[in-house]
Amino acid sequence: MKTIAIANHKGGVGKTASTHALGAGLAQLGYRVLLVDVDPQSSLTNACGVKVPGESLAEVFGSSEPGKLTLADIIYDVGEEDKLPLHLAPSDIALATNEPGLINRYGRENILKNALATVATDYDVCLIDCPPSLGILTINALSAAQVVLIPTQPQIADMRGLQLFLDTLDAITKRGGINPHLKVLGVLVTFMDDRLLHHRDALKVMTDSGFPLLQTQVGRSVKVAEAAASGSSIITYDPSNRQAENYLALAKEVDTWLRKERR
């Protein structure tokens, strides 16, 4: 199983929508996909139509003591209605109350990595939706992943946050860091609007600065929010929507990487 963390320090850049739609796109391509929500705000969990789960990652992670459940105990089938091999390990606000206790745990950076290892043969790819911070939950995701996908808006204000996050990844991957093998899959430009001059200018600056931009760009659409409210991804909610097509193109980019990894 290959694991991709979808992360950025900054909130509001489309991490959750991108995780959900990319997961649905990869499932349409035939991959067995596990979505993991490590954000205590539970945005991905809600977007998948799972409301207030009785058991979540909070019971897997535990706090100062290990959790009582395994990852397999909490997984939901969220692709059954669309006949897709898509599953979710949900989050809950309880994960936020657990987080301070995790600081005192031995091997705290590898709790999620160890949990994922128990279901690794059941899935081809795992996508982790991270909170907009660099707390212990995000560190767990970056420790467990082989690559990180970084959504960002095409705005000058967002570029500083992007650079800070890339600097953080350098610290994580340096020799002796928590995951020296972690690589950047690419930067996904979200909410792109070619009509806006500052979007075009920001994109040019990112390109000229050598940021590892993915070929796919995703625009803004109210249908993406409608899809989340209905418990669906934009790919299954409105397949003809332009952003659904863009996310499917992203899935094909990731498919290319996955195929290379198999060689």
mmCIF file of all heavy atoms in Angstrom, residues 154-205:
data_model
loop_
_atom_site.group_PDB
_atom_site.id
_atom_site.type_symbol
_atom_site.label_atom_id
_atom_site.label_comp_id
_atom_site.label_asym_id
_atom_site.label_seq_id
_atom_site.Cartn_x
_atom_site.Cartn_y
_atom_site.Cartn_z
ATOM 1 N N PRO A 154 -3.657 30.004 -5.595
ATOM 2 C CA PRO A 154 -2.703 30.805 -6.355
ATOM 3 C C PRO A 154 -2.759 32.278 -5.937
ATOM 4 O O PRO A 154 -3.222 33.142 -6.695
ATOM 5 C CB PRO A 154 -3.174 30.617 -7.803
ATOM 6 C CG PRO A 154 -4.657 30.440 -7.673
ATOM 7 C CD PRO A 154 -4.874 29.716 -6.374
ATOM 8 N N GLN A 155 -2.286 32.538 -4.737
ATOM 9 C CA GLN A 155 -2.275 33.892 -4.211
ATOM 10 C C GLN A 155 -0.920 34.153 -3.571
ATOM 11 O O GLN A 155 -0.326 33.249 -2.972
ATOM 12 C CB GLN A 155 -3.385 34.091 -3.173
ATOM 13 C CG GLN A 155 -4.778 33.862 -3.735
ATOM 14 C CD GLN A 155 -5.870 34.101 -2.724
ATOM 15 O OE1 GLN A 155 -6.894 34.675 -3.041
ATOM 16 N NE2 GLN A 155 -5.667 33.651 -1.504
ATOM 17 N N ILE A 156 -0.462 35.373 -3.686
ATOM 18 C CA ILE A 156 0.844 35.715 -3.132
ATOM 19 C C ILE A 156 0.886 35.415 -1.633
ATOM 20 O O ILE A 156 1.884 34.910 -1.122
ATOM 21 C CB ILE A 156 1.175 37.202 -3.405
ATOM 22 C CG1 ILE A 156 1.222 37.470 -4.928
ATOM 23 C CG2 ILE A 156 2.489 37.585 -2.756
ATOM 24 C CD1 ILE A 156 2.260 36.675 -5.670
ATOM 25 N N ALA A 157 -0.220 35.702 -0.940
ATOM 26 C CA ALA A 157 -0.267 35.463 0.502
ATOM 27 C C ALA A 157 -0.091 33.989 0.843
ATOM 28 O O ALA A 157 0.433 33.642 1.907
ATOM 29 C CB ALA A 157 -1.584 35.979 1.075
ATOM 30 N N ASP A 158 -0.537 33.109 -0.060
ATOM 31 C CA ASP A 158 -0.423 31.670 0.194
ATOM 32 C C ASP A 158 0.978 31.141 -0.085
ATOM 33 O O ASP A 158 1.351 30.070 0.402
ATOM 34 C CB ASP A 158 -1.429 30.901 -0.669
ATOM 35 C CG ASP A 158 -2.852 31.074 -0.202
ATOM 36 O OD1 ASP A 158 -3.371 32.198 -0.285
ATOM 37 O OD2 ASP A 158 -3.439 30.091 0.255
ATOM 38 N N MET A 159 1.743 31.881 -0.881
ATOM 39 C CA MET A 159 3.055 31.380 -1.280
ATOM 40 C C MET A 159 4.033 31.333 -0.119
ATOM 41 O O MET A 159 4.878 30.451 -0.053
ATOM 42 C CB MET A 159 3.604 32.226 -2.423
ATOM 43 C CG MET A 159 2.854 31.992 -3.719
ATOM 44 S SD MET A 159 3.414 33.071 -5.034
ATOM 45 C CE MET A 159 5.153 32.715 -5.035
ATOM 46 N N ARG A 160 3.908 32.284 0.830
ATOM 47 C CA ARG A 160 4.786 32.229 1.999
ATOM 48 C C ARG A 160 4.497 30.985 2.829
ATOM 49 O O ARG A 160 5.415 30.296 3.272
ATOM 50 C CB ARG A 160 4.639 33.490 2.851
ATOM 51 C CG ARG A 160 5.441 33.421 4.142
ATOM 52 C CD ARG A 160 5.571 34.755 4.846
ATOM 53 N NE ARG A 160 6.174 34.610 6.153
ATOM 54 C CZ ARG A 160 7.466 34.387 6.372
ATOM 55 N NH1 ARG A 160 8.288 34.273 5.352
ATOM 56 N NH2 ARG A 160 7.939 34.271 7.594
ATOM 57 N N GLY A 161 3.201 30.681 3.003
ATOM 58 C CA GLY A 161 2.842 29.468 3.729
ATOM 59 C C GLY A 161 3.336 28.222 3.027
ATOM 60 O O GLY A 161 3.789 27.268 3.673
ATOM 61 N N LEU A 162 3.277 28.227 1.700
ATOM 62 C CA LEU A 162 3.772 27.092 0.920
ATOM 63 C C LEU A 162 5.270 26.917 1.125
ATOM 64 O O LEU A 162 5.759 25.802 1.340
ATOM 65 C CB LEU A 162 3.443 27.304 -0.555
ATOM 66 C CG LEU A 162 3.997 26.276 -1.545
ATOM 67 C CD1 LEU A 162 3.496 24.882 -1.217
ATOM 68 C CD2 LEU A 162 3.616 26.669 -2.980
ATOM 69 N N GLN A 163 6.019 28.021 1.072
ATOM 70 C CA GLN A 163 7.468 27.934 1.258
ATOM 71 C C GLN A 163 7.809 27.466 2.661
ATOM 72 O O GLN A 163 8.723 26.648 2.852
ATOM 73 C CB GLN A 163 8.121 29.285 0.979
ATOM 74 C CG GLN A 163 9.648 29.236 1.022
ATOM 75 C CD GLN A 163 10.228 28.260 0.018
ATOM 76 O OE1 GLN A 163 10.044 28.418 -1.185
ATOM 77 N NE2 GLN A 163 10.929 27.226 0.494
ATOM 78 N N LEU A 164 7.074 27.947 3.667
ATOM 79 C CA LEU A 164 7.313 27.508 5.043
ATOM 80 C C LEU A 164 7.055 26.011 5.192
ATOM 81 O O LEU A 164 7.796 25.308 5.891
ATOM 82 C CB LEU A 164 6.430 28.296 6.014
ATOM 83 C CG LEU A 164 6.822 29.755 6.261
ATOM 84 C CD1 LEU A 164 5.750 30.458 7.085
ATOM 85 C CD2 LEU A 164 8.173 29.830 6.970
ATOM 86 N N PHE A 165 6.008 25.529 4.519
ATOM 87 C CA PHE A 165 5.707 24.098 4.603
ATOM 88 C C PHE A 165 6.800 23.275 3.928
ATOM 89 O O PHE A 165 7.219 22.237 4.448
ATOM 90 C CB PHE A 165 4.350 23.806 3.974
ATOM 91 C CG PHE A 165 3.915 22.375 4.147
ATOM 92 C CD1 PHE A 165 3.597 21.872 5.396
ATOM 93 C CD2 PHE A 165 3.843 21.521 3.058
ATOM 94 C CE1 PHE A 165 3.219 20.547 5.563
ATOM 95 C CE2 PHE A 165 3.469 20.200 3.207
ATOM 96 C CZ PHE A 165 3.146 19.713 4.473
ATOM 97 N N LEU A 166 7.283 23.742 2.777
ATOM 98 C CA LEU A 166 8.373 23.035 2.104
ATOM 99 C C LEU A 166 9.638 23.041 2.963
ATOM 100 O O LEU A 166 10.375 22.047 3.006
ATOM 101 C CB LEU A 166 8.651 23.674 0.738
ATOM 102 C CG LEU A 166 7.568 23.458 -0.322
ATOM 103 C CD1 LEU A 166 7.835 24.326 -1.547
ATOM 104 C CD2 LEU A 166 7.492 21.989 -0.725
ATOM 105 N N ASP A 167 9.879 24.141 3.681
ATOM 106 C CA ASP A 167 11.025 24.204 4.598
ATOM 107 C C ASP A 167 10.854 23.190 5.733
ATOM 108 O O ASP A 167 11.824 22.543 6.163
ATOM 109 C CB ASP A 167 11.169 25.608 5.182
ATOM 110 C CG ASP A 167 11.615 26.637 4.139
ATOM 111 O OD1 ASP A 167 12.083 26.220 3.065
ATOM 112 O OD2 ASP A 167 11.460 27.842 4.406
ATOM 113 N N THR A 168 9.623 23.056 6.203
ATOM 114 C CA THR A 168 9.341 22.067 7.253
ATOM 115 C C THR A 168 9.610 20.661 6.752
ATOM 116 O O THR A 168 10.178 19.829 7.468
ATOM 117 C CB THR A 168 7.878 22.183 7.712
ATOM 118 O OG1 THR A 168 7.662 23.482 8.267
ATOM 119 C CG2 THR A 168 7.540 21.126 8.760
ATOM 120 N N LEU A 169 9.204 20.388 5.505
ATOM 121 C CA LEU A 169 9.448 19.068 4.928
ATOM 122 C C LEU A 169 10.941 18.785 4.819
ATOM 123 O O LEU A 169 11.384 17.647 5.013
ATOM 124 C CB LEU A 169 8.796 18.961 3.550
ATOM 125 C CG LEU A 169 7.268 18.937 3.521
ATOM 126 C CD1 LEU A 169 6.779 18.830 2.079
ATOM 127 C CD2 LEU A 169 6.724 17.771 4.346
ATOM 128 N N ASP A 170 11.724 19.813 4.526
ATOM 129 C CA ASP A 170 13.177 19.639 4.475
ATOM 130 C C ASP A 170 13.712 19.159 5.821
ATOM 131 O O ASP A 170 14.590 18.290 5.886
ATOM 132 C CB ASP A 170 13.864 20.959 4.093
ATOM 133 C CG ASP A 170 13.719 21.278 2.616
ATOM 134 O OD1 ASP A 170 13.411 20.350 1.839
ATOM 135 O OD2 ASP A 170 13.899 22.455 2.245
ATOM 136 N N ALA A 171 13.165 19.735 6.901
ATOM 137 C CA ALA A 171 13.611 19.326 8.239
ATOM 138 C C ALA A 171 13.193 17.895 8.545
ATOM 139 O O ALA A 171 13.935 17.135 9.169
ATOM 140 C CB ALA A 171 13.038 20.280 9.287
ATOM 141 N N ILE A 172 12.006 17.513 8.087
ATOM 142 C CA ILE A 172 11.490 16.166 8.331
ATOM 143 C C ILE A 172 12.282 15.117 7.555
ATOM 144 O O ILE A 172 12.483 13.994 8.033
ATOM 145 C CB ILE A 172 9.991 16.105 7.964
ATOM 146 C CG1 ILE A 172 9.173 16.872 9.010
ATOM 147 C CG2 ILE A 172 9.492 14.663 7.851
ATOM 148 C CD1 ILE A 172 7.718 17.033 8.642
ATOM 149 N N THR A 173 12.757 15.503 6.363
ATOM 150 C CA THR A 173 13.417 14.529 5.493
ATOM 151 C C THR A 173 14.933 14.549 5.585
ATOM 152 O O THR A 173 15.595 13.712 4.959
ATOM 153 C CB THR A 173 13.008 14.769 4.025
ATOM 154 O OG1 THR A 173 13.370 16.106 3.652
ATOM 155 C CG2 THR A 173 11.515 14.591 3.842
ATOM 156 N N LYS A 174 15.482 15.478 6.331
ATOM 157 C CA LYS A 174 16.937 15.506 6.428
ATOM 158 C C LYS A 174 17.430 14.265 7.164
ATOM 159 O O LYS A 174 16.669 13.575 7.856
ATOM 160 C CB LYS A 174 17.403 16.762 7.153
ATOM 161 C CG LYS A 174 17.082 16.799 8.641
ATOM 162 C CD LYS A 174 17.599 18.083 9.274
ATOM 163 C CE LYS A 174 17.286 18.108 10.780
ATOM 164 N NZ LYS A 174 17.758 19.346 11.416
ATOM 165 N N ARG A 175 18.698 13.987 7.049
ATOM 166 C CA ARG A 175 19.277 12.816 7.692
ATOM 167 C C ARG A 175 19.025 12.871 9.191
ATOM 168 O O ARG A 175 19.307 13.868 9.850
ATOM 169 C CB ARG A 175 20.778 12.761 7.421
ATOM 170 C CG ARG A 175 21.442 11.487 7.914
ATOM 171 C CD ARG A 175 22.881 11.430 7.469
ATOM 172 N NE ARG A 175 23.519 10.195 7.890
ATOM 173 C CZ ARG A 175 24.765 9.880 7.595
ATOM 174 N NH1 ARG A 175 25.508 10.703 6.862
ATOM 175 N NH2 ARG A 175 25.282 8.734 8.008
ATOM 176 N N GLY A 176 18.446 11.813 9.711
ATOM 177 C CA GLY A 176 18.101 11.780 11.126
ATOM 178 C C GLY A 176 16.711 12.295 11.416
ATOM 179 O O GLY A 176 16.257 12.269 12.565
ATOM 180 N N GLY A 177 15.974 12.796 10.366
ATOM 181 C CA GLY A 177 14.611 13.264 10.541
ATOM 182 C C GLY A 177 13.647 12.100 10.696
ATOM 183 O O GLY A 177 14.021 10.929 10.557
ATOM 184 N N ILE A 178 12.366 12.420 10.942
ATOM 185 C CA ILE A 178 11.409 11.349 11.224
ATOM 186 C C ILE A 178 11.071 10.522 9.986
ATOM 187 O O ILE A 178 10.634 9.378 10.109
ATOM 188 C CB ILE A 178 10.120 11.900 11.851
ATOM 189 C CG1 ILE A 178 9.393 12.825 10.860
ATOM 190 C CG2 ILE A 178 10.387 12.601 13.160
ATOM 191 C CD1 ILE A 178 7.997 13.152 11.298
ATOM 192 N N ASN A 179 11.259 11.093 8.784
ATOM 193 C CA ASN A 179 10.971 10.334 7.567
ATOM 194 C C ASN A 179 11.896 10.804 6.447
ATOM 195 O O ASN A 179 11.483 11.564 5.569
ATOM 196 C CB ASN A 179 9.503 10.499 7.158
ATOM 197 C CG ASN A 179 9.106 9.566 6.025
ATOM 198 O OD1 ASN A 179 9.953 8.863 5.452
ATOM 199 N ND2 ASN A 179 7.831 9.550 5.694
ATOM 200 N N PRO A 180 13.126 10.342 6.449
ATOM 201 C CA PRO A 180 14.100 10.797 5.441
ATOM 202 C C PRO A 180 13.744 10.388 4.018
ATOM 203 O O PRO A 180 14.322 10.906 3.062
ATOM 204 C CB PRO A 180 15.409 10.148 5.898
ATOM 205 C CG PRO A 180 14.999 9.007 6.770
ATOM 206 C CD PRO A 180 13.727 9.413 7.422
ATOM 207 N N HIS A 181 12.807 9.463 3.846
ATOM 208 C CA HIS A 181 12.447 8.986 2.508
ATOM 209 C C HIS A 181 11.223 9.712 1.942
ATOM 210 O O HIS A 181 10.833 9.448 0.793
ATOM 211 C CB HIS A 181 12.179 7.484 2.540
ATOM 212 C CG HIS A 181 13.336 6.679 3.055
ATOM 213 N ND1 HIS A 181 14.545 6.607 2.396
ATOM 214 C CD2 HIS A 181 13.480 5.936 4.192
ATOM 215 C CE1 HIS A 181 15.394 5.846 3.083
ATOM 216 N NE2 HIS A 181 14.770 5.435 4.174
ATOM 217 N N LEU A 182 10.614 10.597 2.709
ATOM 218 C CA LEU A 182 9.429 11.318 2.249
ATOM 219 C C LEU A 182 9.781 12.246 1.087
ATOM 220 O O LEU A 182 10.758 12.988 1.147
ATOM 221 C CB LEU A 182 8.830 12.127 3.407
ATOM 222 C CG LEU A 182 7.577 12.942 3.085
ATOM 223 C CD1 LEU A 182 6.393 12.016 2.784
ATOM 224 C CD2 LEU A 182 7.232 13.870 4.250
ATOM 225 N N LYS A 183 8.953 12.205 0.046
ATOM 226 C CA LYS A 183 9.160 13.066 -1.117
ATOM 227 C C LYS A 183 7.897 13.891 -1.382
ATOM 228 O O LYS A 183 6.810 13.550 -0.914
ATOM 229 C CB LYS A 183 9.522 12.236 -2.350
ATOM 230 C CG LYS A 183 10.810 11.442 -2.199
ATOM 231 C CD LYS A 183 11.163 10.727 -3.477
ATOM 232 C CE LYS A 183 12.430 9.877 -3.312
ATOM 233 N NZ LYS A 183 13.585 10.678 -2.866
ATOM 234 N N VAL A 184 8.059 14.953 -2.140
ATOM 235 C CA VAL A 184 6.925 15.781 -2.550
ATOM 236 C C VAL A 184 6.385 15.243 -3.873
ATOM 237 O O VAL A 184 7.105 15.223 -4.882
ATOM 238 C CB VAL A 184 7.327 17.259 -2.691
ATOM 239 C CG1 VAL A 184 6.167 18.076 -3.243
ATOM 240 C CG2 VAL A 184 7.780 17.823 -1.352
ATOM 241 N N LEU A 185 5.146 14.795 -3.863
ATOM 242 C CA LEU A 185 4.512 14.343 -5.103
ATOM 243 C C LEU A 185 4.249 15.534 -6.016
ATOM 244 O O LEU A 185 4.393 15.434 -7.241
ATOM 245 C CB LEU A 185 3.202 13.623 -4.785
ATOM 246 C CG LEU A 185 2.405 13.089 -5.968
ATOM 247 C CD1 LEU A 185 3.224 12.081 -6.769
ATOM 248 C CD2 LEU A 185 1.103 12.454 -5.493
ATOM 249 N N GLY A 186 3.867 16.664 -5.407
ATOM 250 C CA GLY A 186 3.653 17.868 -6.188
ATOM 251 C C GLY A 186 2.767 18.859 -5.462
ATOM 252 O O GLY A 186 2.139 18.538 -4.452
ATOM 253 N N VAL A 187 2.758 20.071 -5.993
ATOM 254 C CA VAL A 187 1.902 21.141 -5.475
ATOM 255 C C VAL A 187 0.677 21.236 -6.386
ATOM 256 O O VAL A 187 0.808 21.396 -7.600
ATOM 257 C CB VAL A 187 2.645 22.490 -5.451
ATOM 258 C CG1 VAL A 187 1.702 23.623 -5.064
ATOM 259 C CG2 VAL A 187 3.831 22.418 -4.485
ATOM 260 N N LEU A 188 -0.507 21.111 -5.777
ATOM 261 C CA LEU A 188 -1.765 21.175 -6.518
ATOM 262 C C LEU A 188 -2.353 22.576 -6.368
ATOM 263 O O LEU A 188 -2.725 22.989 -5.267
ATOM 264 C CB LEU A 188 -2.754 20.138 -5.993
ATOM 265 C CG LEU A 188 -4.169 20.209 -6.571
ATOM 266 C CD1 LEU A 188 -4.165 19.842 -8.057
ATOM 267 C CD2 LEU A 188 -5.111 19.289 -5.790
ATOM 268 N N VAL A 189 -2.446 23.304 -7.464
ATOM 269 C CA VAL A 189 -3.049 24.635 -7.441
ATOM 270 C C VAL A 189 -4.569 24.478 -7.423
ATOM 271 O O VAL A 189 -5.151 23.834 -8.308
ATOM 272 C CB VAL A 189 -2.602 25.473 -8.649
ATOM 273 C CG1 VAL A 189 -3.327 26.815 -8.664
ATOM 274 C CG2 VAL A 189 -1.095 25.686 -8.606
ATOM 275 N N THR A 190 -5.212 25.054 -6.404
ATOM 276 C CA THR A 190 -6.660 24.943 -6.232
ATOM 277 C C THR A 190 -7.312 26.320 -6.324
ATOM 278 O O THR A 190 -6.653 27.349 -6.170
ATOM 279 C CB THR A 190 -6.983 24.317 -4.872
ATOM 280 O OG1 THR A 190 -6.372 25.104 -3.836
ATOM 281 C CG2 THR A 190 -6.462 22.885 -4.781
ATOM 282 N N PHE A 191 -8.631 26.320 -6.564
ATOM 283 C CA PHE A 191 -9.413 27.563 -6.664
ATOM 284 C C PHE A 191 -8.861 28.491 -7.750
ATOM 285 O O PHE A 191 -9.006 29.709 -7.670
ATOM 286 C CB PHE A 191 -9.457 28.292 -5.313
ATOM 287 C CG PHE A 191 -10.054 27.479 -4.200
ATOM 288 C CD1 PHE A 191 -9.247 26.904 -3.229
ATOM 289 C CD2 PHE A 191 -11.422 27.283 -4.135
ATOM 290 C CE1 PHE A 191 -9.797 26.145 -2.205
ATOM 291 C CE2 PHE A 191 -11.988 26.521 -3.118
ATOM 292 C CZ PHE A 191 -11.171 25.948 -2.155
ATOM 293 N N MET A 192 -8.230 27.914 -8.753
ATOM 294 C CA MET A 192 -7.627 28.705 -9.831
ATOM 295 C C MET A 192 -8.703 29.343 -10.703
ATOM 296 O O MET A 192 -9.676 28.686 -11.093
ATOM 297 C CB MET A 192 -6.728 27.803 -10.693
ATOM 298 C CG MET A 192 -6.046 28.520 -11.842
ATOM 299 S SD MET A 192 -4.825 29.697 -11.247
ATOM 300 C CE MET A 192 -4.433 30.560 -12.765
ATOM 301 N N ASP A 193 -8.531 30.635 -10.986
ATOM 302 C CA ASP A 193 -9.432 31.363 -11.879
ATOM 303 C C ASP A 193 -8.571 32.170 -12.847
ATOM 304 O O ASP A 193 -7.978 33.181 -12.469
ATOM 305 C CB ASP A 193 -10.343 32.288 -11.067
ATOM 306 C CG ASP A 193 -11.449 32.920 -11.917
ATOM 307 O OD1 ASP A 193 -11.280 32.987 -13.145
ATOM 308 O OD2 ASP A 193 -12.472 33.338 -11.346
ATOM 309 N N ASP A 194 -8.510 31.704 -14.078
ATOM 310 C CA ASP A 194 -7.663 32.352 -15.089
ATOM 311 C C ASP A 194 -8.072 33.793 -15.383
ATOM 312 O O ASP A 194 -7.293 34.556 -15.967
ATOM 313 C CB ASP A 194 -7.692 31.551 -16.395
ATOM 314 C CG ASP A 194 -6.968 30.224 -16.272
ATOM 315 O OD1 ASP A 194 -5.921 30.181 -15.603
ATOM 316 O OD2 ASP A 194 -7.467 29.227 -16.815
ATOM 317 N N ARG A 195 -9.292 34.158 -14.986
ATOM 318 C CA ARG A 195 -9.751 35.522 -15.249
ATOM 319 C C ARG A 195 -9.131 36.539 -14.294
ATOM 320 O O ARG A 195 -9.158 37.736 -14.559
ATOM 321 C CB ARG A 195 -11.274 35.591 -15.133
ATOM 322 C CG ARG A 195 -12.024 34.719 -16.138
ATOM 323 C CD ARG A 195 -13.491 34.644 -15.796
ATOM 324 N NE ARG A 195 -13.688 34.030 -14.486
ATOM 325 C CZ ARG A 195 -14.885 33.866 -13.908
ATOM 326 N NH1 ARG A 195 -15.984 34.295 -14.525
ATOM 327 N NH2 ARG A 195 -14.988 33.290 -12.719
ATOM 328 N N LEU A 196 -8.584 36.059 -13.172
ATOM 329 C CA LEU A 196 -8.059 36.950 -12.139
ATOM 330 C C LEU A 196 -6.563 37.177 -12.358
ATOM 331 O O LEU A 196 -5.772 36.226 -12.401
ATOM 332 C CB LEU A 196 -8.291 36.361 -10.752
ATOM 333 C CG LEU A 196 -9.766 36.133 -10.371
ATOM 334 C CD1 LEU A 196 -9.862 35.516 -8.996
ATOM 335 C CD2 LEU A 196 -10.548 37.440 -10.431
ATOM 336 N N LEU A 197 -6.196 38.449 -12.473
ATOM 337 C CA LEU A 197 -4.805 38.794 -12.732
ATOM 338 C C LEU A 197 -3.887 38.308 -11.623
ATOM 339 O O LEU A 197 -2.798 37.781 -11.895
ATOM 340 C CB LEU A 197 -4.667 40.315 -12.890
ATOM 341 C CG LEU A 197 -3.235 40.837 -13.115
ATOM 342 C CD1 LEU A 197 -2.644 40.250 -14.386
ATOM 343 C CD2 LEU A 197 -3.229 42.371 -13.161
ATOM 344 N N HIS A 198 -4.308 38.453 -10.347
ATOM 345 C CA HIS A 198 -3.403 38.049 -9.266
ATOM 346 C C HIS A 198 -3.229 36.542 -9.211
ATOM 347 O O HIS A 198 -2.205 36.042 -8.762
ATOM 348 C CB HIS A 198 -3.873 38.620 -7.914
ATOM 349 C CG HIS A 198 -5.101 37.985 -7.354
ATOM 350 N ND1 HIS A 198 -6.360 38.322 -7.762
ATOM 351 C CD2 HIS A 198 -5.255 37.040 -6.383
ATOM 352 C CE1 HIS A 198 -7.249 37.622 -7.079
ATOM 353 N NE2 HIS A 198 -6.616 36.824 -6.241
ATOM 354 N N HIS A 199 -4.216 35.770 -9.710
ATOM 355 C CA HIS A 199 -4.036 34.322 -9.811
ATOM 356 C C HIS A 199 -2.999 33.996 -10.883
ATOM 357 O O HIS A 199 -2.118 33.152 -10.675
ATOM 358 C CB HIS A 199 -5.371 33.645 -10.140
ATOM 359 C CG HIS A 199 -6.243 33.421 -8.950
ATOM 360 N ND1 HIS A 199 -7.253 32.474 -8.919
ATOM 361 C CD2 HIS A 199 -6.249 34.010 -7.727
ATOM 362 C CE1 HIS A 199 -7.847 32.508 -7.746
ATOM 363 N NE2 HIS A 199 -7.261 33.432 -7.011
ATOM 364 N N ARG A 200 -3.107 34.655 -12.015
ATOM 365 C CA ARG A 200 -2.137 34.419 -13.093
ATOM 366 C C ARG A 200 -0.730 34.838 -12.670
ATOM 367 O O ARG A 200 0.251 34.131 -12.954
ATOM 368 C CB ARG A 200 -2.564 35.157 -14.362
ATOM 369 C CG ARG A 200 -3.907 34.720 -14.931
ATOM 370 C CD ARG A 200 -4.069 35.143 -16.386
ATOM 371 N NE ARG A 200 -3.921 36.575 -16.582
ATOM 372 C CZ ARG A 200 -4.916 37.458 -16.522
ATOM 373 N NH1 ARG A 200 -6.144 37.041 -16.235
ATOM 374 N NH2 ARG A 200 -4.688 38.744 -16.751
ATOM 375 N N ASP A 201 -0.652 35.977 -11.975
ATOM 376 C CA ASP A 201 0.657 36.449 -11.525
ATOM 377 C C ASP A 201 1.269 35.482 -10.511
ATOM 378 O O ASP A 201 2.468 35.173 -10.562
ATOM 379 C CB ASP A 201 0.530 37.838 -10.892
ATOM 380 C CG ASP A 201 0.313 38.932 -11.930
ATOM 381 O OD1 ASP A 201 0.501 38.654 -13.130
ATOM 382 O OD2 ASP A 201 -0.056 40.066 -11.540
ATOM 383 N N ALA A 202 0.436 35.022 -9.564
ATOM 384 C CA ALA A 202 0.941 34.104 -8.543
ATOM 385 C C ALA A 202 1.401 32.795 -9.161
ATOM 386 O O ALA A 202 2.435 32.224 -8.769
ATOM 387 C CB ALA A 202 -0.137 33.845 -7.490
ATOM 388 N N LEU A 203 0.655 32.299 -10.137
ATOM 389 C CA LEU A 203 1.034 31.061 -10.812
ATOM 390 C C LEU A 203 2.372 31.225 -11.525
ATOM 391 O O LEU A 203 3.223 30.330 -11.488
ATOM 392 C CB LEU A 203 -0.055 30.650 -11.802
ATOM 393 C CG LEU A 203 0.146 29.302 -12.495
ATOM 394 C CD1 LEU A 203 0.171 28.169 -11.474
ATOM 395 C CD2 LEU A 203 -0.962 29.070 -13.510
ATOM 396 N N LYS A 204 2.580 32.380 -12.152
ATOM 397 C CA LYS A 204 3.840 32.634 -12.834
ATOM 398 C C LYS A 204 4.999 32.688 -11.839
ATOM 399 O O LYS A 204 6.081 32.126 -12.091
ATOM 400 C CB LYS A 204 3.777 33.952 -13.618
ATOM 401 C CG LYS A 204 5.042 34.239 -14.439
ATOM 402 C CD LYS A 204 4.912 35.495 -15.255
ATOM 403 C CE LYS A 204 6.100 35.672 -16.201
ATOM 404 N NZ LYS A 204 7.413 35.618 -15.515
ATOM 405 N N VAL A 205 4.774 33.329 -10.692
ATOM 406 C CA VAL A 205 5.824 33.399 -9.670
ATOM 407 C C VAL A 205 6.160 32.000 -9.167
ATOM 408 O O VAL A 205 7.336 31.655 -8.987
ATOM 409 C CB VAL A 205 5.388 34.314 -8.508
ATOM 410 C CG1 VAL A 205 6.372 34.202 -7.348
ATOM 411 C CG2 VAL A 205 5.290 35.766 -8.970
#
